[in-house]
Every structure is written in structure tokens, then in C-alpha cells.
Amino acid sequence: KKLILLLLFIPLVSFGQLSKFSANNVQEFESLKNYAELENKAVIIDFVADWCGPCKIMDKQLWRSDEFQLLNNYIFIEVDIDKSTKLARKYGITSIPRVIVEVANNQNDVLIDKSGFRSKNQHLKELQYVNQFDFKEVYFAKNEKEFGSAYRKLFLSDKEKKYTTLLKLSSKHFKKALKKEKNIINQLNIIYNLKLKGSSKKANKNLEKLKLDKANLSEIENEIVQNIITNSI
């Protein structure tokens, strides 16, 4: 209820199906991220300023375009770097336009990060691609292994499997899990991601180094081993 009340007082511009929120301070920004988490959506953060001509061009050509309005899997936040200096410092903004797309789970999981003026089509191509993914399982994850598994499932669900950022995020979390607990399942998860990355030979060599006794492996561990050694992805 507190979140809903606060959102009512956050500046909002509606130019179609997708609304643009303006975060003028950290509290408003965090409330919008919480809202995105409740909705299981990614966050588009558009860093701008009144004096930024390219930002205004992007607003007119990209953000107000019919194609962008069709995207329904985002919460769109505009941050004026002159009004929200703390947010600008937090994200290390040194030049604008700057567009960052992230999962709003405080894990620093960045999906897209682009600086400088880019054409409507350049941005739309990436935004439309990421729009297809359902981040619900990522938001429901409770530990590093679950984060890693959720991102890997998203990568595997992509028929083209060209959005490697999801695989990188998966590996990031599996590596964190391994640092916390060096066990077989965490090691296998990293090796499997290595295979998915396209390094099958290296993955098989790393698997051999583990010298596993398959008879003593769990069902899940055996399944991952099979995924590593099989020729298909």
C-alpha cells in the first residue's frame, strides 16, 4: 500500500501503452524498482538532462514511437542527472544519453548498457529482443545457484540463443555460488555454461579433471553431466 501511494506522487508521462516515470531522488527510484520487481519486469533507465539535445531527439524518435509502445515487459524510468545527482553518481554516469536496462533485484544484473546517441532502430532491436523474456523465476530466486539456473533457463528458452548476456549473468551467479560452497553441483554448473558458450572441448577437459564417480552422483548432477557430454545444446 505504501508503494502504491508513493507511486501516485512520482511524476508520470503517458504517451501510449507504456508510461514513463520520472525519478527525482533515490527514494522514488527505489520505489519504482520495487514496483518492477512486483511486476516481474526489467527496468529501462534513461539518463537525461534539459540541456541534452540528443536525449530530446531520442525521446521523440524512440521513446514516443509506436514500436516502443508495443513493448510490455518493462518499467520505464527517466532520471535527470541534474536533479538526481546521487543516482547519476551511483551508476557512474559521465556522459548522456545513457540507457541502462537491468533486472530490478539489487544484484547488479545489467541486460543492456549503451552510451551516446543511438538511432531508433539500434535501440529497438535490442529492446524488442529482451522484451520476450519472462524474468519471474529470476525475481523468485533466493540464492546464487537459483539465480544462475534462472538465467540459464532463459538462455535455453531463446530459440536463436544469441543473447549471450543471459548466459554471462548465469555464469556470474554460479561462480559466486562456487566461492561460497565448493561442491560438485556448483562446479558442474560452471562447466555446463562453458559448453553452452561454445567451448565444448574445454568443458569436457574440465569435466574429466573432476574424476567423478557417476554411481555416486545425484540425479541432477548426472543430468548436468549428460548435458555437458552430449553433442546438442
Side-chain angles (χ1 to χ4, degrees), residues 3-202:
L3 174 60
I4 294 172
L5 287 172
L6 184 56
L7 288 173
L8 292 175
F9 293 96
I10 295 176
L12 171 67
V13 176
S14 181
F15 37 59
Q17 294 179 357
L18 188 65
S19 298
K20 176 172 68 176
F21 294 93
S22 293
N24 294 321
N25 54 58
V26 174
Q27 184 183 19
E28 289 180 351
F29 183 75
E30 291 302 323
S31 294
L32 287 167
K33 285 187 67 177
N34 289 337
Y35 175 52
E37 187 172 2
L38 287 173
E39 294 290 314
N40 300 315
K41 294 183 178 182
V43 174
I44 298 174
I45 312 168
D46 182 28
F47 291 93
V48 302
D50 287 340
W51 45 263
C52 177
C55 299
K56 293 178 181 179
I57 295 173
M58 283 177 58
D59 181 69
K60 183 179 179 180
Q61 294 182 353
L62 172 63
W63 306 129
R64 296 177 185 270
S65 70
D66 291 338
E67 295 93 331
F68 180 68
Q69 291 306 305
L70 292 174
L71 306 183
N72 57 6
N73 210 19
Y74 295 108
I75 298 299
F76 184 27
I77 309 173
E78 181 182 83
V79 176
D80 187 315
I81 62 171
D82 293 327
K83 295 177 182 177
S84 308
T85 54
K86 287 185 178 179
L87 287 172
R89 286 198 299 269
K90 176 183 177 181
Y91 281 88
I93 306 302
T94 57
S95 63
I96 52 176
R98 175 88 175 269
V99 177
I100 296 175
V101 181
E102 65 179 17
V103 178
N105 59 1
N106 296 318
Q107 297 292 322
N108 297 315
D109 290 340
V110 176
L111 301 166
I112 300 171
D113 188 347
K114 300 296 180 182
S115 297
F117 177 81
R118 301 177 82 221
S119 71
K120 166 186 167 181
N121 288 336
Q122 284 177 308
H123 265 304
L124 270 176
K125 187 177 180 181
E126 291 177 303
L127 292 171
Q128 288 169 335
Y129 201 82
V130 175
N131 188 69
Q132 71 177 296
F133 297 110
D134 182 356
F135 294 101
K136 184 181 293 184
E137 193 166 339
V138 174
Y139 281 119
F140 285 175
K142 297 181 179 64
N143 54 54
E144 299 296 349
K145 188 163 74 70
E146 290 183 6
F147 281 124
S149 296
Y151 280 116
R152 183 163 64 199
K153 285 180 181 178
L154 286 177
F155 173 76
L156 291 171
S157 71
D158 179 10
K159 293 181 180 179
E160 297 182 35
K161 293 184 176 56
K162 66 179 184 181
Y163 193 63
T164 56
T165 297
L166 294 170
L167 191 58
K168 291 177 182 177
L169 289 172
S170 175
S171 295
K172 180 187 85 169
H173 286 290
F174 280 139
K175 287 175 182 177
K176 285 185 177 181
L178 184 61
K179 284 184 178 180
K180 291 182 178 180
E181 187 177 3
K182 192 172 183 179
N183 56 27
I184 292 174
I185 190 74
N186 288 333
Q187 290 173 306
L188 288 174
N189 276 321
I190 292 173
I191 294 172
Y192 182 27
N193 277 16
L194 190 62
K195 187 263 179 73
L196 291 174
K197 186 180 176 182
S199 303
S200 296
K201 289 183 179 180
K202 189 174 181 180

